[in-house]
């Protein structure tokens, strides 16, 4: 009888600990290591580029640095254009963009623009397809839908060898 009681208590405690780690139907992993848009996808890896710049000018660095990661082991369901949160599994190679194995990745849900046919991710994907021959790391500076023009205005900054250029394009919403 004592073995059954001990087994019951251990099972109950274990289930309480596991339940505490869950947030709805998802495991709570803490803060993600990277947040940004999926800007490219190749051979099971995704390029995630941050949306918020960091200022390293006080240390002689870039005043507008965007984090970027080539993450391997990306799930097939992740698509170019989506906004994601990424947790890495292990260390990150300190190149630019960084390189690491993805432990988990979650798509950030985005509201569909009223009266828009394309989602933000679809519009961004179309814009990136237009500039696929441009060398460098693309960064989304802005993406907005205009009901008046029925189009998406997308501004992408591309950095290559220290040179930054801004590409502005309009994507028809159809």
């Amino acid at each position: 009888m004592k073995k059954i009681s001990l087994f019951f208590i251990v099972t109950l405690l274990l289930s309480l600990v596991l339940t505490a780690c869950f947030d709805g139907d998802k495991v709570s992993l803490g803060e993600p290591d990277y947040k940004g848009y999926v800007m490219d996808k190749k051979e099971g890896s995704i390029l995630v580029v941050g949306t918020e710049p960091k200022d390293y000018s006080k240390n002689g660095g870039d005043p507008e640095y965007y984090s970027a990661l080539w993450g391997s082991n990306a799930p097939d369901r992740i698509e170019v254009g989506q906004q994601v949160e990424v947790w890495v599994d292990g260390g990150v190679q300190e190149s630019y963009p960084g390189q690491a194995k993805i432990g988990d990745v979650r798509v950030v849900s985005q509201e569909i623009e009223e009266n828009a046919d394309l989602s933000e991710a679809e519009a961004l994907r179309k814009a990136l397809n237009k500039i696929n021959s441009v060398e460098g790391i693309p960064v989304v500076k802005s993406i907005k839908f205009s009901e008046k023009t029925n189009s998406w205005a997308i501004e992408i900054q591309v950095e290559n060898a220290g040179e930054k250029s801004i590409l502005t394009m309009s994507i028809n919403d159809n």
Side-chain angles (χ1 to χ4, degrees):
M1 189 66 156
K2 284 186 178 184
K3 286 183 181 181
I4 293 174
S5 296
L6 181 59
F7 176 75
F8 178 74
I9 290 171
V10 169
T11 304
L12 180 63
L13 287 173
L14 185 58
S15 65
L16 287 173
V17 168
L18 290 175
T19 303
C21 293
F22 282 90
D23 179 15
D25 62 345
K26 297 182 179 179
V27 176
S28 176
L29 298 171
E31 285 296 309
D33 297 300
Y34 289 85
K35 295 179 185 180
Y37 286 100
V38 177
M39 302 301 277
D40 200 356
K41 183 175 181 177
K42 294 179 186 171
E43 303 167 4
S45 295
I46 56 174
L47 173 62
V48 178
V49 180
T51 57
E52 296 296 322
K54 296 177 184 168
D55 183 356
Y56 291 117
S57 61
K58 289 181 182 177
N59 300 328
D62 192 341
E64 193 177 42
Y65 173 85
Y66 291 88
S67 64
L69 173 78
W70 266 111
S72 63
N73 196 40
D76 289 337
R77 64 180 169 75
I78 302 300
E79 297 180 15
V80 170
Q82 292 178 316
Q83 227 178 349
V84 295
E85 296 177 330
V86 176
W87 289 262
V88 298
D89 182 14
V92 177
Q93 292 180 8
E94 294 188 25
S95 54
Y96 188 76
Q99 298 175 42
K101 180 180 176 187
I102 294 175
D104 195 14
V105 60
R106 304 233 173 100
V107 176
V108 176
S109 63
Q110 296 176 335
E111 293 181 20
I112 303 294
E113 292 287 333
E114 191 174 336
N115 299 319
D117 293 326
L118 297 176
S119 68
E120 180 180 280
E122 292 168 323
L124 179 55
R125 192 167 32 255
K126 285 187 171 196
L128 291 170
N129 284 336
K130 284 185 171 186
I131 65 165
N132 64 1
S133 63
V134 175
E135 294 292 320
I137 304 295
V139 175
V140 175
K141 297 292 281 182
S142 68
I143 182 166
K144 295 178 183 147
F145 175 70
S146 169
E147 191 174 334
K148 183 179 178 181
T149 62
N150 195 39
S151 64
W152 291 84
I154 301 176
E155 199 174 73
I156 295 176
Q157 174 180 292
V158 179
E159 182 174 351
N160 188 15
E163 296 293 319
K164 295 179 183 179
S165 58
I166 300 285
L167 305 170
T168 304
M169 60 198 80
S170 179
I171 302 297
N172 289 330
D173 185 59
N174 54 18

